Amino acid sequence: MKIQKVHEICTEVLNEVSKVIVGKRDVLEKLLIAVLSNGHILIEDVPGLAKTLMAKTMAAALGCKFKRIQFTPDLLPADITGTYVFNQKTGDFELRKGPIFTNILLADEINRAPPKTQSALLEAMQEHQVTLDGRTHRLEDPFIVIATQNPLEFEGVYPLPEAQIDRFLMKIKVGYPSLEDEIEILRRRIANKSDEYYVNQVTNTSEVLEMQKAIEDVYVDESVLEYIVKIVRETRKHPRVEVGVSPRGAVALLKVSRARAVLNGRDYVTPDDVKSVALDSLSHRIILKTELWIRGADPRQIMREVLERVPVPKRFT
């Protein structure tokens, strides 16, 4: 599939979802970037900001199967992956698949479940497969996890371990709508006469896979590659950082930058693409020094400082 065709489909998907989601075009673009990059996305924000609705309508517009898991303290790993159940008629154990066998999985309030349950997602997110009773089951492509988590100051939450947070391609916030957008939300609710919203299907899973392959053809200049690596390495030198971004983070930044270029109708990556997605794709991979973490320092501010320190390649200035 040609890059221009991918751009056109993406624009149509965003326009369709925007019929339901008001004033959050930038957030919808980030969700779509995660899909194009074949990566997972973590949304941290307070309840009631339409995170579930965004994921559901995005999946519908893309023509992908969608399932939702509400994470709770008593949720078990088998509730996610499924388990083998004995069939008395056949005398065999049969696999009863869990909700993880889908295309787009919404892991709602993921940090309300204990670490053992959270870890049930690790193999699926990294390897796109699930192992049950020694048998490996391949997940259907595309497989994207859209996870939401409550801020750590909320009661009854378990912080995600660093290894699991690093599996997410991006970590974003939604934020409250503006005054005008919130009024428009009420207007649309009155006009809709229901709490249910529907969008038209724009594409399908086969085309989504082709779109993901097309992203691999986006050109990245050697100077931009060097720019990405310098940003990543600068996080490791920062005096307030205990552990900087790993090479996995550099690969993530490359993938997201390519997808962002396509959303803007280009078949090549610019430093502006890199800078625009660096905060969302790298900030959650930084581990601050203990005293700063206790004080509630913001890793995104550290990333802003890093981006200011690393010069843009001369040929792009």
Side-chain angles (χ1 to χ4, degrees):
M1 184 181 292
K2 293 183 179 180
I3 297 298
Q4 186 57 36
K5 177 65 174 177
V6 177
H7 170 67
E8 291 171 1
I9 294 175
C10 289
T11 301
E12 193 174 347
V13 168
L14 291 171
N15 290 340
E16 190 64 32
V17 178
S18 294
K19 294 177 182 178
V20 176
I21 305 299
V22 181
K24 293 296 178 183
R25 184 83 173 198
D26 59 330
V27 178
L28 297 178
E29 286 181 356
K30 291 170 185 176
L31 287 176
L32 193 50
I33 282 174
V35 173
L36 292 176
S37 304
N38 197 23
H40 315 291
I41 190 165
L42 178 63
I43 308 174
E44 182 182 77
D45 227 318
V46 298
L49 298 180
K51 299 186 292 292
T52 300
L53 186 60
M54 286 182 187
K56 186 176 181 179
T57 52
M58 181 67 73
L62 291 170
C64 294
K65 290 187 290 186
F66 173 82
K67 291 183 181 178
R68 174 180 176 271
I69 303 173
Q70 179 62 53
F71 279 67
T72 58
D74 60 347
L75 190 73
L76 299 175
D79 296 327
I80 299 173
T81 61
T83 187
Y84 282 94
V85 178
F86 183 71
N87 187 325
Q88 292 183 340
K89 292 183 179 180
T90 62
D92 296 324
F93 283 92
E94 298 178 352
L95 175 62
R96 181 172 294 172
K97 292 183 177 181
I100 202 169
F101 289 88
T102 188
N103 296 131
I104 295 182
L105 176 69
L106 177 65
D108 211 0
E109 296 186 302
I110 188 173
N111 58 343
R112 286 206 180 277
K116 182 178 180 180
T117 303
Q118 294 174 5
S119 66
L121 286 173
L122 281 177
E123 181 185 14
M125 291 173 66
Q126 187 66 25
E127 308 294 339
H128 286 208
Q129 65 184 31
V130 173
T131 302
L132 297 170
D133 290 341
R135 304 179 192 176
T136 299
H137 304 273
R138 183 73 186 175
L139 296 174
E140 183 181 344
D141 291 324
F143 174 70
I144 309 293
V145 173
I146 300 175
T148 72
Q149 73 169 7
N150 295 318
L152 293 180
E153 56 266 24
F154 276 45
E155 293 184 5
V157 299
Y158 300 83
L160 293 178
E162 289 80 2
Q164 186 161 346
I165 290 179
D166 199 44
R167 295 299 197 281
F168 287 100
L169 190 71
M170 304 170 73
K171 179 183 175 183
I172 66 173
K173 291 182 179 291
V174 176
Y176 286 108
S178 65
L179 173 64
E180 294 77 13
D181 288 339
E182 200 155 5
I183 293 173
E184 178 62 22
I185 290 171
L186 301 186
R187 288 198 192 103
R188 293 191 187 185
R189 174 59 182 82
I190 292 172
N192 193 56
K193 299 183 184 298
S194 171
D195 289 329
E196 293 295 322
Y197 290 89
Y198 301 95
V199 296
N200 296 317
Q201 180 178 332
V202 174
T203 182
N204 54 56
T205 53
S206 297
E207 277 197 334
V208 170
L209 293 175
E210 289 182 28
M211 291 161 67
Q212 290 177 343
K213 290 179 181 178
I215 299 299
E216 300 297 331
D217 294 328
V218 175
Y219 174 74
V220 187
D221 190 77
E222 192 70 25
S223 62
V224 176
L225 288 178
E226 185 176 346
Y227 182 56
I228 290 173
V229 173
K230 283 183 177 179
I231 290 173
V232 169
R233 295 177 70 87
E234 188 65 29
T235 66
R236 303 168 193 165
K237 303 175 185 176
H238 199 285
R240 290 186 287 171
V241 173
E242 187 70 34
V243 180
V245 177
S246 68
R248 180 190 288 161
V251 174
L253 183 54
L254 170 65
K255 292 167 65 177
V256 174
S257 299
R258 282 174 139 182
R260 200 260 183 184
V262 172
L263 279 189
N264 285 273
R266 283 181 281 100
D267 60 357
Y268 60 92
V269 176
T270 68
D272 283 340
D273 292 320
V274 177
K275 292 178 72 172
S276 67
V277 296
L279 290 180
D280 295 316
S281 56
L282 298 184
S283 297
H284 62 290
R285 304 173 193 273
I286 294 174
I287 301 177
L288 300 179
K289 292 189 174 178
T290 306
E291 61 273 16
L292 293 169
W293 182 80
I294 293 174
R295 293 176 193 168
D298 186 4
R300 293 177 72 88
Q301 181 56 41
I302 302 295
M303 273 308 308
R304 291 188 187 96
E305 294 175 9
V306 167
L307 292 174
E308 289 177 359
R309 292 181 184 181
V310 180
V312 173
K314 290 183 178 180
R315 63 173 298 179
F316 290 94
T317 55

